[in-house]
Protein backbone atom coordinates (compact mmCIF):
# COMPACT_ATOMS: atom_id res chain seq x y z
CA UNK A 1 0.00 0.00 0.00
CA UNK A 2 1.34 3.41 -0.91
CA UNK A 3 2.32 5.82 1.81
CA UNK A 4 -0.13 8.46 0.53
CA UNK A 5 -3.00 5.95 0.74
CA UNK A 6 -2.08 5.05 4.31
CA UNK A 7 -1.93 8.73 5.25
CA UNK A 8 -5.36 9.42 3.71
CA UNK A 9 -6.95 6.43 5.46
CA UNK A 10 -5.31 7.45 8.70
CA UNK A 11 -6.66 10.99 8.45
CA UNK A 12 -10.18 9.76 7.63
CA UNK A 13 -10.25 7.25 10.48
CA UNK A 14 -8.74 9.76 12.87
CA UNK A 15 -11.32 12.40 11.99
CA UNK A 16 -14.10 9.82 12.33
CA UNK A 17 -12.97 8.83 15.80
CA UNK A 18 -12.57 12.43 16.88
CA UNK A 19 -16.04 13.29 15.51
CA UNK A 20 -17.54 10.33 17.37
CA UNK A 21 -15.83 11.36 20.57
CA UNK A 22 -16.96 14.97 20.13
CA UNK A 23 -20.57 13.86 19.53
CA UNK A 24 -20.55 11.79 22.71
CA UNK A 25 -19.10 14.66 24.71
CA UNK A 26 -21.74 16.98 23.24
CA UNK A 27 -24.47 14.45 24.05
CA UNK A 28 -23.27 14.17 27.66
CA UNK A 29 -23.18 17.95 27.95
CA UNK A 30 -26.74 18.26 26.65
CA UNK A 31 -27.93 15.61 29.11
CA UNK A 32 -26.21 17.45 31.95
CA UNK A 33 -27.77 20.75 30.90
CA UNK A 34 -31.22 19.14 30.64
CA UNK A 35 -30.90 17.46 34.04
CA UNK A 36 -29.66 20.69 35.56
CA UNK A 37 -32.57 22.69 34.11
CA UNK A 38 -35.06 20.07 35.32
CA UNK A 39 -33.48 19.99 38.76
CA UNK A 40 -33.51 23.79 39.09
CA UNK A 41 -37.10 23.96 37.83
CA UNK A 42 -38.20 21.39 40.40
CA UNK A 43 -36.45 23.29 43.19
CA UNK A 44 -37.89 26.60 42.02
CA UNK A 45 -41.39 25.11 41.93
CA UNK A 46 -40.94 23.64 45.40
CA UNK A 47 -39.63 26.88 46.90
CA UNK A 48 -42.42 28.91 45.31
CA UNK A 49 -45.03 26.56 46.74
CA UNK A 50 -43.45 26.80 50.21
CA UNK A 51 -43.29 30.61 50.04
CA UNK A 52 -46.93 30.76 48.93
CA UNK A 53 -47.92 28.38 51.71
CA UNK A 54 -46.29 30.70 54.25
CA UNK A 55 -48.51 33.55 53.10
CA UNK A 56 -51.59 31.32 53.22
CA UNK A 57 -50.69 30.15 56.72
CA UNK A 58 -50.31 33.72 57.89
CA UNK A 59 -53.70 34.67 56.43
CA UNK A 60 -55.36 31.61 58.03
CA UNK A 61 -53.76 32.39 61.35
CA UNK A 62 -55.05 35.91 61.22
CA UNK A 63 -58.54 34.75 60.26
CA UNK A 64 -58.57 32.18 63.07
CA UNK A 65 -57.17 34.39 65.80
CA UNK A 66 -58.57 37.71 64.67
CA UNK A 67 -56.89 41.13 64.85
CA UNK A 68 -55.33 40.15 68.20
CA UNK A 69 -52.98 37.88 66.32
CA UNK A 70 -51.19 40.97 65.12
CA UNK A 71 -50.28 41.80 68.72
CA UNK A 72 -51.59 45.36 68.56
CA UNK A 73 -49.61 46.35 65.55
CA UNK A 74 -52.58 48.38 64.25
CA UNK A 75 -56.25 49.17 64.99
CA UNK A 76 -59.16 49.10 62.59
CA UNK A 77 -62.23 51.39 62.74
CA UNK A 78 -65.03 50.87 60.27
CA UNK A 79 -68.46 52.43 59.76
CA UNK A 80 -71.16 50.58 57.85
CA UNK A 81 -74.18 52.03 56.09
CA UNK A 82 -76.74 49.69 54.56
CA UNK A 83 -79.24 51.39 52.23
CA UNK A 84 -81.87 48.80 51.48
CA UNK A 85 -84.07 51.18 49.51
CA UNK A 86 -81.33 51.94 47.03
CA UNK A 87 -80.00 48.40 47.32
CA UNK A 88 -76.50 49.78 48.13
CA UNK A 89 -74.16 48.92 51.02
CA UNK A 90 -71.50 51.48 51.86
CA UNK A 91 -68.55 50.88 54.25
CA UNK A 92 -65.81 53.29 55.41
CA UNK A 93 -62.50 51.59 56.47
CA UNK A 94 -60.13 53.48 58.77
CA UNK A 95 -56.85 51.73 59.81
CA UNK A 96 -54.46 53.34 62.26
CA UNK A 97 -51.00 51.85 61.95
CA UNK A 98 -48.46 51.46 64.75
CA UNK A 99 -46.53 54.51 63.59
CA UNK A 100 -49.71 56.67 63.67
CA UNK A 101 -50.44 56.59 59.96
CA UNK A 102 -54.13 56.49 59.08
CA UNK A 103 -55.46 54.62 56.04
CA UNK A 104 -59.07 55.18 54.84
CA UNK A 105 -61.13 53.56 52.13
CA UNK A 106 -64.77 53.58 51.05
CA UNK A 107 -66.46 50.39 49.79
CA UNK A 108 -69.81 50.36 47.97
CA UNK A 109 -71.68 47.09 47.26
CA UNK A 110 -74.84 46.64 45.22
CA UNK A 111 -77.42 44.96 47.47
CA UNK A 112 -79.66 43.60 44.73
CA UNK A 113 -76.86 41.65 43.08
CA UNK A 114 -75.91 40.04 46.39
CA UNK A 115 -79.46 38.99 47.12
CA UNK A 116 -79.89 37.64 43.60
CA UNK A 117 -76.65 35.67 43.94
CA UNK A 118 -77.38 33.98 47.25
CA UNK A 119 -81.13 33.42 46.89
CA UNK A 120 -81.91 31.38 43.80
CA UNK A 121 -85.45 30.39 44.78
CA UNK A 122 -88.36 32.64 43.92
CA UNK A 123 -89.39 35.19 46.52
CA UNK A 124 -92.69 36.96 46.31
CA UNK A 125 -91.65 40.60 46.67
CA UNK A 126 -95.26 41.67 47.08
CA UNK A 127 -95.46 39.98 50.53
CA UNK A 128 -94.15 41.68 53.65
CA UNK A 129 -92.50 38.49 54.99
CA UNK A 130 -90.44 37.99 51.86
CA UNK A 131 -89.35 41.64 51.82
CA UNK A 132 -88.45 41.51 55.50
CA UNK A 133 -86.40 38.29 55.04
CA UNK A 134 -84.63 39.79 52.07
CA UNK A 135 -83.66 42.90 54.03
CA UNK A 136 -82.43 40.83 57.00
CA UNK A 137 -80.25 38.61 54.80
CA UNK A 138 -78.90 41.59 52.92
CA UNK A 139 -77.94 43.31 56.16
CA UNK A 140 -76.34 40.09 57.49
CA UNK A 141 -74.38 39.61 54.29
CA UNK A 142 -73.21 43.19 54.37
CA UNK A 143 -72.02 42.74 57.96
CA UNK A 144 -70.15 39.50 57.26
CA UNK A 145 -68.67 41.00 54.14
CA UNK A 146 -67.38 43.99 56.04
CA UNK A 147 -65.77 41.67 58.61
CA UNK A 148 -63.86 39.89 55.85
CA UNK A 149 -62.80 43.21 54.36
CA UNK A 150 -61.70 44.29 57.81
CA UNK A 151 -59.41 41.27 58.04
CA UNK A 152 -58.02 41.84 54.54
CA UNK A 153 -57.31 45.52 55.18
CA UNK A 154 -55.72 44.72 58.50
CA UNK A 155 -53.39 42.20 56.83
CA UNK A 156 -52.55 44.67 54.08
CA UNK A 157 -51.72 47.54 56.41
CA UNK A 158 -50.31 45.80 59.45
CA UNK A 159 -49.18 42.19 58.93
CA UNK A 160 -45.85 43.11 57.35
CA UNK A 161 -44.86 45.14 60.41
CA UNK A 162 -44.22 41.93 62.35
CA UNK A 163 -40.62 40.63 62.32
CA UNK A 164 -39.93 37.62 60.11
CA UNK A 165 -39.04 35.35 63.02
CA UNK A 166 -42.58 35.85 64.37
CA UNK A 167 -44.28 35.47 61.03
CA UNK A 168 -42.61 32.12 60.17
CA UNK A 169 -42.87 28.80 61.96
CA UNK A 170 -39.42 27.40 61.09
CA UNK A 171 -40.21 23.85 62.18
CA UNK A 172 -43.21 23.83 59.89
CA UNK A 173 -41.13 25.45 57.16
CA UNK A 174 -38.64 22.57 57.38
CA UNK A 175 -41.44 20.02 57.06
CA UNK A 176 -43.00 21.85 54.12
CA UNK A 177 -39.65 21.97 52.31
CA UNK A 178 -39.14 18.22 52.75
CA UNK A 179 -42.67 17.49 51.54
CA UNK A 180 -42.53 19.75 48.49
CA UNK A 181 -39.06 18.59 47.42
CA UNK A 182 -40.17 14.97 47.74
CA UNK A 183 -43.29 15.72 45.69
CA UNK A 184 -41.04 17.04 42.92
CA UNK A 185 -38.80 13.98 42.97
CA UNK A 186 -35.85 15.46 44.91
CA UNK A 187 -34.68 13.13 47.66
CA UNK A 188 -31.33 14.79 48.39
CA UNK A 189 -30.31 16.06 51.81
CA UNK A 190 -30.64 19.81 52.02
CA UNK A 191 -29.91 22.70 54.35
CA UNK A 192 -31.69 26.02 54.47
CA UNK A 193 -31.56 29.43 56.10
CA UNK A 194 -33.83 32.48 56.16
CA UNK A 195 -32.44 35.98 55.70
CA UNK A 196 -33.83 39.48 55.62
CA UNK A 197 -33.79 41.43 52.39
CA UNK A 198 -30.52 43.10 53.42
CA UNK A 199 -28.81 39.72 53.97
CA UNK A 200 -29.02 39.37 57.75
CA UNK A 201 -29.48 35.71 58.70
CA UNK A 202 -32.33 35.19 61.16
CA UNK A 203 -32.48 31.39 61.10
CA UNK A 204 -30.43 28.36 60.04
CA UNK A 205 -31.51 24.76 60.16
CA UNK A 206 -29.96 22.83 63.09
CA UNK A 207 -27.64 20.68 60.91
CA UNK A 208 -26.64 23.55 58.62
CA UNK A 209 -23.34 23.12 56.73
CA UNK A 210 -21.61 25.35 54.21
CA UNK A 211 -20.82 22.54 51.72
CA UNK A 212 -22.52 23.42 48.44
CA UNK A 213 -23.51 26.86 49.72
CA UNK A 214 -22.17 28.46 46.54
CA UNK A 215 -24.91 26.63 44.60
CA UNK A 216 -27.73 27.79 46.89
CA UNK A 217 -31.23 28.29 45.45
CA UNK A 218 -33.22 31.30 46.68
CA UNK A 219 -36.86 32.30 46.91
CA UNK A 220 -38.37 35.60 48.10
CA UNK A 221 -40.76 35.36 51.05
CA UNK A 222 -43.73 37.71 51.33
CA UNK A 223 -42.89 39.23 47.96
CA UNK A 224 -45.99 41.50 48.04
CA UNK A 225 -44.74 43.26 51.20
CA UNK A 226 -42.53 46.34 51.13
CA UNK A 227 -38.97 45.50 50.11
CA UNK A 228 -37.54 46.09 53.57
CA UNK A 229 -40.09 43.68 55.04
CA UNK A 230 -39.45 40.82 52.60
CA UNK A 231 -37.49 37.69 53.49
CA UNK A 232 -35.22 35.38 51.50
CA UNK A 233 -35.23 31.59 51.76
CA UNK A 234 -31.94 29.93 50.76
CA UNK A 235 -31.69 26.18 50.18
CA UNK A 236 -28.58 24.26 49.13
CA UNK A 237 -27.78 20.60 48.52
CA UNK A 238 -24.29 19.32 49.50
CA UNK A 239 -24.51 16.48 46.97
CA UNK A 240 -25.93 18.51 44.09
CA UNK A 241 -22.74 18.49 42.01
CA UNK A 242 -22.29 14.71 42.44
CA UNK A 243 -25.95 14.04 41.72
CA UNK A 244 -25.64 15.38 38.18
CA UNK A 245 -22.96 12.87 37.27
CA UNK A 246 -24.67 10.00 39.07
CA UNK A 247 -27.67 10.54 36.83
CA UNK A 248 -25.64 9.90 33.66
CA UNK A 249 -23.34 7.12 34.87
CA UNK A 250 -24.52 4.88 32.03
CA UNK A 251 -22.88 7.22 29.49
CA UNK A 252 -19.36 6.81 30.84
CA UNK A 253 -18.86 3.14 29.83
CA UNK A 254 -19.67 4.09 26.26
CA UNK A 255 -17.25 7.02 26.44
CA UNK A 256 -14.61 4.78 27.99
CA UNK A 257 -14.93 2.19 25.22
CA UNK A 258 -14.69 4.94 22.62
CA UNK A 259 -11.46 6.16 24.19
CA UNK A 260 -10.15 2.58 24.29
CA UNK A 261 -10.94 2.23 20.58
CA UNK A 262 -9.20 5.52 19.88
CA UNK A 263 -6.09 4.45 21.81
CA UNK A 264 -6.15 1.07 20.03
CA UNK A 265 -6.44 2.84 16.69
CA UNK A 266 -3.48 5.08 17.52
CA UNK A 267 -1.40 2.08 18.64
CA UNK A 268 -2.33 0.26 15.43
CA UNK A 269 -1.19 3.23 13.38
CA UNK A 270 2.10 3.36 15.27
CA UNK A 271 2.65 -0.36 14.64
CA UNK A 272 1.75 0.02 10.95
CA UNK A 273 4.21 2.86 10.46
CA UNK A 274 6.90 1.01 12.39
CA UNK A 275 6.38 -2.07 10.24
CA UNK A 276 6.50 0.10 7.16
CA UNK A 277 9.75 1.59 8.39
CA UNK A 278 11.17 -1.88 9.10
CA UNK A 279 10.13 -2.98 5.60
CA UNK A 280 11.93 0.00 4.09
CA UNK A 281 15.04 -0.79 6.13
CA UNK A 282 14.86 -4.43 5.07
CA UNK A 283 14.67 -3.31 1.45
CA UNK A 284 17.77 -1.19 2.03
CA UNK A 285 19.40 -4.19 3.65
CA UNK A 286 18.60 -6.42 0.66
CA UNK A 287 19.95 -3.79 -1.74
CA UNK A 288 23.14 -3.44 0.27
CA UNK A 289 23.49 -7.19 0.71
CA UNK A 290 23.06 -7.73 -3.05
CA UNK A 291 25.76 -5.18 -3.77
CA UNK A 292 28.07 -6.57 -1.11
CA UNK A 293 27.70 -10.12 -2.42
CA UNK A 294 28.01 -9.23 -6.10
CA UNK A 295 31.47 -7.69 -5.72
CA UNK A 296 33.32 -10.74 -4.31
CA UNK A 297 31.29 -13.14 -6.47
CA UNK A 298 32.22 -11.18 -9.60
CA UNK A 299 35.87 -11.17 -8.60
CA UNK A 300 35.89 -14.91 -7.91
CA UNK A 301 34.01 -15.60 -11.14
CA UNK A 302 36.46 -13.50 -13.16
CA UNK A 303 39.47 -15.25 -11.61
CA UNK A 304 37.93 -18.66 -12.27
CA UNK A 305 37.28 -17.77 -15.92
CA UNK A 306 40.87 -16.68 -16.37
CA UNK A 307 42.09 -19.95 -14.85
CA UNK A 308 39.89 -21.99 -17.18
CA UNK A 309 40.71 -19.99 -20.29
CA UNK A 310 43.39 -21.84 -22.25
CA UNK A 311 44.13 -18.79 -24.36
CA UNK A 312 45.44 -16.92 -21.33
CA UNK A 313 49.09 -17.62 -20.59
CA UNK A 314 49.34 -18.72 -16.99
CA UNK A 315 52.59 -17.49 -15.52
CA UNK A 316 53.50 -18.20 -11.89
CA UNK A 317 52.95 -14.55 -11.03
CA UNK A 318 49.47 -14.57 -12.61
CA UNK A 319 48.57 -17.83 -10.92
CA UNK A 320 49.67 -16.45 -7.56
CA UNK A 321 47.69 -13.27 -8.17
CA UNK A 322 44.52 -15.12 -9.21
CA UNK A 323 44.84 -17.50 -6.28
CA UNK A 324 45.28 -14.63 -3.83
CA UNK A 325 42.27 -12.83 -5.33
CA UNK A 326 40.09 -15.91 -4.99
CA UNK A 327 41.20 -16.46 -1.38
CA UNK A 328 40.72 -12.82 -0.40
CA UNK A 329 37.31 -12.53 -2.02
CA UNK A 330 36.27 -15.89 -0.51
CA UNK A 331 37.20 -14.60 2.95
CA UNK A 332 35.31 -11.41 2.24
CA UNK A 333 32.26 -13.34 1.10
CA UNK A 334 32.44 -15.61 4.16
CA UNK A 335 32.61 -12.55 6.41
CA UNK A 336 29.53 -11.04 4.77
CA UNK A 337 27.67 -14.34 5.14
CA UNK A 338 28.55 -14.41 8.86
CA UNK A 339 27.19 -10.88 9.20
CA UNK A 340 23.92 -11.99 7.66
CA UNK A 341 23.80 -15.00 9.96
CA UNK A 342 23.89 -12.61 12.89
CA UNK A 343 20.22 -12.00 12.08
CA UNK A 344 19.43 -15.22 13.93
CA UNK A 345 20.42 -13.50 17.16
CA UNK A 346 17.42 -11.21 16.85
CA UNK A 347 14.99 -14.06 16.47
CA UNK A 348 15.94 -15.49 19.88
CA UNK A 349 15.41 -13.96 23.27
CA UNK A 350 19.08 -14.23 24.09
CA UNK A 351 22.31 -15.11 22.32
CA UNK A 352 23.99 -18.40 23.17
CA UNK A 353 26.68 -17.00 25.47
CA UNK A 354 29.53 -18.85 27.15
CA UNK A 355 30.79 -16.34 29.69
CA UNK A 356 34.06 -16.64 31.52
CA UNK A 357 36.35 -14.29 33.38
CA UNK A 358 38.62 -12.32 31.06
CA UNK A 359 40.98 -9.39 31.35
CA UNK A 360 39.44 -6.60 29.26
CA UNK A 361 42.74 -4.74 29.00
CA UNK A 362 44.36 -7.77 27.39
CA UNK A 363 41.36 -8.41 25.12
CA UNK A 364 41.34 -4.80 23.87
CA UNK A 365 45.11 -4.81 23.43
CA UNK A 366 44.80 -7.90 21.22
CA UNK A 367 42.04 -6.30 19.08
CA UNK A 368 44.06 -3.08 18.78
CA UNK A 369 47.14 -5.03 17.67
CA UNK A 370 45.14 -6.77 14.97
CA UNK A 371 43.36 -3.57 13.91
CA UNK A 372 46.37 -1.26 13.83
CA UNK A 373 47.37 -2.30 10.32
CA UNK A 374 43.92 -1.45 8.95
CA UNK A 375 43.90 1.95 10.68
CA UNK A 376 47.40 2.82 9.48
CA UNK A 377 46.46 1.74 5.95
CA UNK A 378 43.73 4.42 6.09
CA UNK A 379 46.21 7.04 7.29
CA UNK A 380 45.21 6.99 10.95
CA UNK A 381 46.45 5.96 14.36
CA UNK A 382 45.13 4.29 17.49
CA UNK A 383 45.70 5.71 20.97
CA UNK A 384 45.09 3.41 23.94
CA UNK A 385 44.66 4.42 27.57
CA UNK A 386 43.92 1.22 29.50
CA UNK A 387 43.84 2.48 33.10
CA UNK A 388 41.34 0.04 34.58
CA UNK A 389 42.99 -1.30 37.75
CA UNK A 390 40.37 -4.04 38.04
CA UNK A 391 39.89 -5.20 34.43
CA UNK A 392 38.32 -8.62 35.08
CA UNK A 393 34.73 -9.13 33.88
CA UNK A 394 32.63 -12.21 33.16
CA UNK A 395 31.75 -12.19 29.44
CA UNK A 396 31.76 -14.33 26.32
CA UNK A 397 35.18 -13.45 24.87
CA UNK A 398 34.22 -14.21 21.25
CA UNK A 399 31.12 -11.98 21.21
CA UNK A 400 32.78 -9.29 23.30
CA UNK A 401 35.73 -9.25 20.91
CA UNK A 402 33.25 -8.76 18.05
CA UNK A 403 31.71 -5.84 19.96
CA UNK A 404 35.05 -4.03 20.24
CA UNK A 405 35.92 -4.90 16.64
CA UNK A 406 32.59 -3.57 15.28
CA UNK A 407 32.94 -0.26 17.14
CA UNK A 408 36.48 0.26 15.90
CA UNK A 409 35.48 -0.80 12.37
CA UNK A 410 32.75 1.85 12.39
CA UNK A 411 35.36 4.47 13.24
CA UNK A 412 37.32 3.51 10.13
CA UNK A 413 34.21 3.38 7.90
CA UNK A 414 32.95 6.80 8.95
CA UNK A 415 36.25 8.69 9.00
CA UNK A 416 36.55 12.11 7.44
CA UNK A 417 38.51 12.31 4.22
CA UNK A 418 40.08 15.66 5.05
CA UNK A 419 41.25 14.76 8.55
CA UNK A 420 43.66 12.08 9.72
CA UNK A 421 41.80 9.33 11.59
CA UNK A 422 42.45 9.30 15.32
CA UNK A 423 40.93 6.46 17.31
CA UNK A 424 41.11 6.48 21.11
CA UNK A 425 40.37 3.41 23.25
CA UNK A 426 40.37 3.64 27.05
CA UNK A 427 39.26 1.69 30.12
CA UNK A 428 38.62 2.76 33.70
CA UNK A 429 36.84 1.64 36.85
CA UNK A 430 33.79 3.57 37.99
CA UNK A 431 31.93 2.46 41.13
CA UNK A 432 31.18 -1.23 40.51
CA UNK A 433 31.46 -0.98 36.73
CA UNK A 434 34.17 -1.28 34.16
CA UNK A 435 33.86 1.56 31.65
CA UNK A 436 35.18 1.18 28.09
CA UNK A 437 35.33 4.25 25.83
CA UNK A 438 35.91 4.17 22.07
CA UNK A 439 36.17 7.62 20.51
CA UNK A 440 36.90 8.80 16.96
CA UNK A 441 37.14 12.08 15.09
CA UNK A 442 34.98 10.97 12.17
CA UNK A 443 31.97 12.46 10.42
CA UNK A 444 29.77 12.23 13.52
CA UNK A 445 26.05 11.60 13.76
CA UNK A 446 23.22 14.14 13.74
CA UNK A 447 21.16 14.51 16.91
CA UNK A 448 17.99 13.29 15.23
CA UNK A 449 19.78 10.03 14.27
CA UNK A 450 21.74 9.30 17.43
CA UNK A 451 18.83 7.45 19.07
CA UNK A 452 18.27 5.25 16.01
CA UNK A 453 21.77 3.96 15.40
CA UNK A 454 21.20 0.86 17.57
CA UNK A 455 18.07 -0.14 15.63
CA UNK A 456 18.24 -3.23 13.43
CA UNK A 457 18.92 -2.47 9.73
CA UNK A 458 19.23 1.25 10.46
CA UNK A 459 21.95 3.08 8.55
CA UNK A 460 22.46 6.80 8.22
CA UNK A 461 23.34 6.19 4.57
CA UNK A 462 20.56 4.15 2.97
CA UNK A 463 19.30 3.18 -0.43
CA UNK A 464 21.78 2.51 -3.17
CA UNK A 465 24.54 4.72 -1.79
CA UNK A 466 27.48 2.41 -1.23
CA UNK A 467 30.19 4.80 -0.14
CA UNK A 468 29.97 3.07 3.24
CA UNK A 469 29.55 -0.70 3.18
CA UNK A 470 27.37 -2.63 5.60
CA UNK A 471 23.98 -4.07 6.40
CA UNK A 472 22.94 -1.90 9.35
CA UNK A 473 23.40 -4.80 11.77
CA UNK A 474 26.70 -3.98 13.47
CA UNK A 475 25.53 -1.57 16.20
CA UNK A 476 22.30 -3.52 16.73
CA UNK A 477 24.43 -6.60 17.33
CA UNK A 478 26.67 -4.63 19.71
CA UNK A 479 23.75 -3.39 21.79
CA UNK A 480 22.18 -6.84 22.01
CA UNK A 481 25.41 -8.49 23.19
CA UNK A 482 26.03 -5.77 25.77
CA UNK A 483 22.43 -6.02 27.05
CA UNK A 484 22.67 -9.82 27.23
CA UNK A 485 25.71 -9.33 29.49
CA UNK A 486 23.60 -6.99 31.71
CA UNK A 487 25.69 -4.05 30.58
CA UNK A 488 24.79 -0.72 29.00
CA UNK A 489 26.00 1.19 25.98
CA UNK A 490 25.42 4.79 24.97
CA UNK A 491 26.64 7.09 22.24
CA UNK A 492 27.60 10.74 22.19
CA UNK A 493 28.18 12.44 18.87
CA UNK A 494 28.39 15.78 17.15
CA UNK A 495 28.11 16.15 13.42
CA UNK A 496 31.50 16.91 11.87
CA UNK A 497 33.35 16.39 15.18
CA UNK A 498 33.23 12.69 15.94
CA UNK A 499 31.52 9.99 17.98
CA UNK A 500 32.17 8.40 21.36
CA UNK A 501 30.73 5.06 22.50
CA UNK A 502 30.64 4.34 26.22
CA UNK A 503 30.23 0.75 27.49
CA UNK A 504 29.54 0.02 31.17
CA UNK A 505 29.96 -3.58 32.27
CA UNK A 506 29.15 -4.85 35.78
CA UNK A 507 31.94 -6.51 37.75
Amino acid sequence: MKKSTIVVLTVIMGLSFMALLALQVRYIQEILDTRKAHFEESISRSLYTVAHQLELDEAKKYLNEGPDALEGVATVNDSVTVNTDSSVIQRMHQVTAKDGSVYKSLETTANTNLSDKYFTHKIDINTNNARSLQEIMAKRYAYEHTLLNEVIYSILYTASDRPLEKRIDFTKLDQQLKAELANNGIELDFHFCVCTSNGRVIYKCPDYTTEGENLAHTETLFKNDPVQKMGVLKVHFPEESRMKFHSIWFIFPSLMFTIVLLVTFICTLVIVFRQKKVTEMKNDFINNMTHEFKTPISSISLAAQMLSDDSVKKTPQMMSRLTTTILDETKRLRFQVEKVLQLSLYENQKANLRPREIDVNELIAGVVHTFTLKVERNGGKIITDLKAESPIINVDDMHFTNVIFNLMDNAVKYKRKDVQLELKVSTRNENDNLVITIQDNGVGIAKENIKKIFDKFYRVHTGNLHDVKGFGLGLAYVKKIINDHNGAISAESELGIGTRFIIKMPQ
Side-chain angles (χ1 to χ4, degrees):
M1 186 179 292
K2 294 183 179 180
K3 186 175 181 179
S4 58
T5 306
I6 296 176
V7 172
V8 171
L9 291 176
T10 301
V11 171
I12 294 174
M13 293 181 67
L15 291 176
S16 300
F17 269 112
M18 295 303 295
L20 178 61
L21 190 61
L23 286 174
Q24 289 201 350
V25 172
R26 177 69 179 274
Y27 178 58
I28 291 175
Q29 185 61 46
E30 288 184 357
I31 292 178
L32 284 175
D33 292 341
T34 302
R35 294 292 176 90
K36 181 180 179 181
H38 176 72
F39 182 74
E40 291 181 350
E41 181 183 357
S42 299
I43 293 175
S44 178
R45 185 165 54 247
S46 301
L47 296 184
Y48 174 80
T49 303
V50 170
H52 183 65
Q53 189 63 40
L54 282 178
E55 295 180 351
L56 291 178
D57 290 344
E58 185 178 58
K60 290 178 182 178
K61 180 179 179 181
Y62 187 78
L63 289 174
N64 292 333
E65 299 180 10
D68 293 339
L70 297 177
E71 299 179 356
V73 174
T75 58
V76 183
N77 297 317
D78 302 301
S79 59
V80 181
T81 302
V82 180
N83 189 340
T84 56
D85 294 334
S86 61
S87 300
V88 174
I89 302 175
Q90 292 182 333
R91 175 173 180 78
M92 175 65 71
H93 301 277
Q94 178 174 319
V95 181
T96 304
K98 186 176 180 180
D99 56 1
S101 303
V102 177
Y103 305 91
K104 294 182 178 181
S105 64
L106 178 64
E107 179 188 7
T108 302
T109 306
N111 189 27
T112 55
N113 292 338
L114 295 173
S115 60
D116 291 341
K117 180 178 181 180
Y118 290 97
F119 301 99
T120 57
H121 59 281
K122 291 185 178 181
I123 300 177
D124 187 2
I125 59 175
N126 295 323
T127 63
N128 291 332
N129 291 335
R131 184 180 296 277
S132 176
L133 180 59
Q134 184 180 15
E135 291 176 356
I136 292 171
M137 294 304 294
K139 291 179 180 180
R140 182 177 178 182
Y141 174 82
Y143 177 73
E144 296 294 340
H145 186 65
T146 55
L147 287 179
L148 290 175
N149 285 337
E150 179 181 337
V151 172
I152 294 171
Y153 275 98
S154 298
I155 293 175
L156 286 174
Y157 293 124
T158 63
S160 61
D161 287 340
R162 303 174 68 200
L164 285 174
E165 51 267 29
K166 291 186 178 180
R167 299 176 69 183
I168 302 173
D169 185 342
F170 296 109
T171 302
K172 189 174 182 180
L173 176 61
D174 190 3
Q175 296 173 351
Q176 290 175 341
L177 279 172
K178 290 180 180 178
E180 287 301 325
L181 290 173
N183 289 338
N184 286 280
I186 301 175
E187 302 290 345
L188 298 177
D189 293 335
F190 68 92
H191 304 284
F192 74 95
C193 66
V194 178
C195 309
T196 60
S197 57
N198 58 10
R200 181 175 62 88
V201 178
I202 62 173
Y203 179 79
K204 288 184 177 181
C205 62
D207 58 344
Y208 188 87
T209 62
T210 58
E211 183 183 0
E213 195 175 31
N214 57 319
L215 300 175
H217 304 267
T218 61
E219 179 66 29
T220 303
L221 303 178
F222 308 109
K223 59 183 66 178
N224 293 315
D225 288 1
V227 176
Q228 63 274 18
K229 300 297 182 180
M230 293 180 184
V232 178
L233 173 63
K234 294 183 179 181
V235 180
H236 68 273
F237 302 85
E239 298 183 356
E240 179 177 350
S241 57
R242 293 189 291 271
M243 180 274 301
K244 297 174 183 177
F245 292 99
H246 290 165
S247 62
I248 59 168
W249 64 267
F250 60 92
I251 295 295
F252 290 100
S254 174
L255 183 61
M256 182 185 67
F257 285 125
T258 302
I259 295 175
V260 169
L261 287 175
L262 181 61
V263 172
T264 305
F265 168 69
I266 293 173
C267 293
T268 303
L269 287 180
V270 172
I271 293 173
V272 167
F273 280 106
R274 283 183 179 177
Q275 291 296 328
K276 190 175 185 302
K277 183 178 178 182
V278 169
T279 302
E280 291 175 351
M281 289 192 295
K282 283 185 176 181
N283 291 335
D284 289 341
F285 165 75
I286 292 173
N287 293 333
N288 289 324
M289 182 181 67
T290 302
H291 183 273
E292 293 290 338
F293 283 174
K294 278 184 177 180
T295 302
I297 289 174
S298 298
S299 299
I300 293 172
S301 176
L302 180 60
Q305 287 178 7
M306 292 180 68
L307 287 174
S308 62
D309 191 351
D310 295 332
S311 62
V312 177
K313 187 177 181 179
K314 300 176 179 62
T315 63
Q317 293 82 4
M318 179 178 290
M319 292 294 293
S320 175
R321 182 179 177 185
L322 291 176
T323 303
T324 302
T325 300
I326 291 174
L327 290 175
D328 289 343
E329 293 301 324
T330 301
K331 289 180 181 179
R332 180 179 176 186
L333 185 60
R334 184 184 299 114
F335 178 76
Q336 299 295 354
V337 171
E338 288 177 355
K339 295 277 285 185
V340 174
L341 291 177
Q342 289 176 2
L343 282 172
S344 62
L345 292 175
Y346 302 102
E347 304 300 328
N348 302 320
Q349 291 293 327
K350 220 172 186 184
N352 186 17
L353 302 177
R354 294 181 178 86
R356 64 183 182 88
E357 289 187 352
I358 64 168
D359 187 323
V360 171
N361 288 343
E362 291 182 2
L363 185 146
I364 292 177
V367 175
V368 169
H369 178 73
T370 304
F371 211 76
T372 299
L373 183 62
K374 185 175 183 178
V375 172
E376 290 178 350
R377 192 186 307 155
N378 285 275
K381 62 180 179 178
I382 301 178
I383 302 173
T384 58
D385 186 17
L386 309 178
K387 292 183 178 179
E389 296 179 357
S390 177
I392 305 301
I393 57 175
N394 193 33
V395 295
D396 185 308
D397 57 344
M398 183 192 72
H399 285 290
F400 204 78
T401 300
N402 289 338
V403 166
I404 304 300
F405 182 87
N406 279 338
L407 294 177
M408 295 175 68
D409 189 53
N410 275 348
V412 176
K413 285 182 179 180
Y414 295 97
K415 69 182 185 66
R416 284 184 287 170
K417 296 180 179 179
D418 57 337
V419 177
Q420 181 185 8
L421 173 62
E422 186 175 278
L423 183 59
K424 296 180 180 179
V425 183
S426 64
T427 62
R428 70 179 189 276
N429 293 109
E430 183 178 287
N431 299 327
D432 295 329
N433 297 319
L434 177 67
V435 180
I436 304 170
T437 303
I438 300 176
Q439 181 175 351
D440 63 63
N441 61 342
V443 296
I445 305 171
K447 291 183 179 180
E448 60 269 18
N449 297 325
I450 194 69
K451 294 181 180 180
K452 305 175 184 177
I453 60 175
F454 294 109
D455 294 344
K456 184 173 60 174
F457 301 124
Y458 181 81
R459 299 179 69 233
V460 177
H461 297 280
T462 59
N464 293 319
L465 298 178
H466 298 285
D467 53 338
V468 178
K469 310 299 181 182
F471 300 139
L473 296 173
L475 291 180
Y477 167 78
V478 167
K479 185 174 179 63
K480 180 171 179 58
I481 295 300
I482 295 297
N483 289 342
D484 288 348
H485 283 92
N486 298 319
I489 183 171
S490 60
E492 299 174 357
S493 184
E494 188 173 349
L495 198 61
I497 303 296
T499 305
R500 179 171 62 177
F501 290 95
I502 302 170
I503 301 173
K504 291 184 178 181
M505 298 298 297
Q507 289 185 301

